[in-house]
Amino acid sequence: MYDVVIVGGGIIGGSIAFDLAERNLRVALLDRQGLMREASWAAAGMLSPAPDCPGAIPLVPLGRASLALYPKFVDAVEDASGLCAGFRAGGALEVICHGDAERELSTLVALYHGLGLACEPMRVEEARSMEPALGREARAAALLPEECWIEPRALTSAVLAAAASAGAVLCPGVEVTSLALDGKKCSGVKTSRGEIFHAAQVVLAAGCWSSQIPGAAPNAPTLPVRGQMAALRHSGTPIRHVLRSERGYLVPRGEENPQTVVVGSTIENAGYEKRVTSGGIEKILSAANELVPELAKAEIIETWCGLRPGTPDQLPILGPAEIDGLVIATGHYRNGILLAPVTAKLIGEWIAEKITSLDWETFSPLRFTKTNENRSITT
Ligand SMILES: Cc1cc2nc3c(=O)[nH]c(=O)nc-3n(C[C@H](O)[C@H](O)[C@H](O)COP(=O)(O)OP(=O)(O)OC[C@H]3O[C@@H](n4cnc5c(N)ncnc54)[C@H](O)[C@@H]3O)c2cc1C
């Protein structure tokens, strides 16, 4: 019997396992394959609370809270695991290459300032003095000085090791097929091998597959959104910041020469098909080469893709479900690496104390079923 069983060993499940084990709860973390092999392994690692579309604006306060927690989170993970998570502070440059650049820049700056995000507009020459490799297509730029980035594969290994050293039991190769119900209460999970893991609380953190656990879909209607990525070995002018344009982004990994630069990403509805395509890679490379033309000479050292856990309203799903004993922590879409610390903190507080230090009502799993009820009343 565990206090908590967590379904899904990605960055979200792993970070929650670490938090709960640190609170001296008995925790098991189950994953149907090796741990951290899905979206969390595939991510670029930008820690950016800036909204990428109007629908993401309600997420900004949560993203800012999580970014503020990051340095302490990384210290705790690195202390407990003895591993380096590859955290870097230094800011991102948002670069505008198309359209009416001056107007787009002032809209962006007004939006970010209105959301409390630090954002410094700059002339292209200034941006180029910070990033000499920036291409000629750049027409305007803004520095987002508070943004950071991390190496997701290093982070995920460190989080798992930290959770294990805090006492969580890690169970790779265990597929959850359904919830175990005791009357109307969730009392654990059933696995494909016919075992039952009994627990006082179950946390569903199975990424885009969360909706496939029978009974969970009404409160966790996740769907996969594919993203393709490439890593380049670059021997030219080193890149020192995250660079983003309307078409894609670059994330430097270290500063040694040759430097590894990760470039991304597509946003595709391709079901659960994890496949790198020539069209997808062409798209991200052309965006990268526009930002930094020198990258056209870089060697492609790896390509991959991952399935982001999307949701119908593009917001995460956090909190208690309609089924007593079931807590949902999924739907982090493009921001799961950024949101891991705050998700772990909120779920940990809820499970241990039944209160949370931040208002998380907007992200409640009940919003999907409530909306349905309202719809059926009004139509
Ligand atoms: C290309 C790409 C780039 C990204 N870049 C960024 C970025 O720069 N910054 C950022 O913040 N976020 C980024 N993201 C988003 C981020 O990666 C995700 O939001 C985050 O990893 C989701 O973590 P998770 O733990 O919920 O899901 P996952 O990492 O997908 O983990 C879910 C786990 O559940 C397991 N599972 C599924 N079903 C079952 C079952 N029935 N039984 C047991 N286990 C099960 C799976 O095997 C998997 O290990 C990116 C994502 C992609 C794909």
Side-chain angles (χ1 to χ4, degrees), residues 7-13 30-34 36-47 174-176 205-209 213 225 227-229 249 265 306-309 329-330 332-339:
V7 185
I11 188 64
I12 298 300
L30 316 183
D31 200 295
R32 63 180 172 191
Q33 52 181 334
M36 305 281 181
R37 297 276 171 84
E38 295 293 348
S40 306
W41 174 90
M46 291 176 291
L47 304 178
V174 176
E175 179 170 20
V176 171
C208 67
W209 296 273
I213 303 291
V225 182
Q228 301 188 41
M229 301 281 296
Y249 55 77
S265 178
L307 301 177
R308 306 176 183 94
T330 188
H332 294 77
Y333 188 39
R334 301 186 76 187
N335 296 294
I337 305 295
L338 168 68
L339 296 174

Side-chain angles (χ1 to χ4, degrees), residues 69-134:
L69 292 173
Y70 239 100
K72 271 197 177 160
F73 174 72
V74 168
D75 283 351
V77 165
E78 290 184 343
D79 281 353
S81 67
L83 298 172
C84 173
F87 178 74
R88 298 277 306 277
L93 273 178
E94 190 98 39
V95 181
I96 299 171
C97 298
H98 299 280
D100 183 346
E102 287 307 322
R103 208 176 67 186
E104 286 190 25
L105 182 66
S106 54
T107 308
L108 182 106
V109 171
L111 173 69
Y112 285 11
H113 285 172
L115 293 167
L117 297 168
C119 174
E120 300 165 14
M122 52 177 55
R123 286 178 295 115
V124 176
E125 299 74 46
E126 283 177 277
R128 205 167 276 120
S129 70
M130 293 177 71
E131 278 298 348
L134 207 58

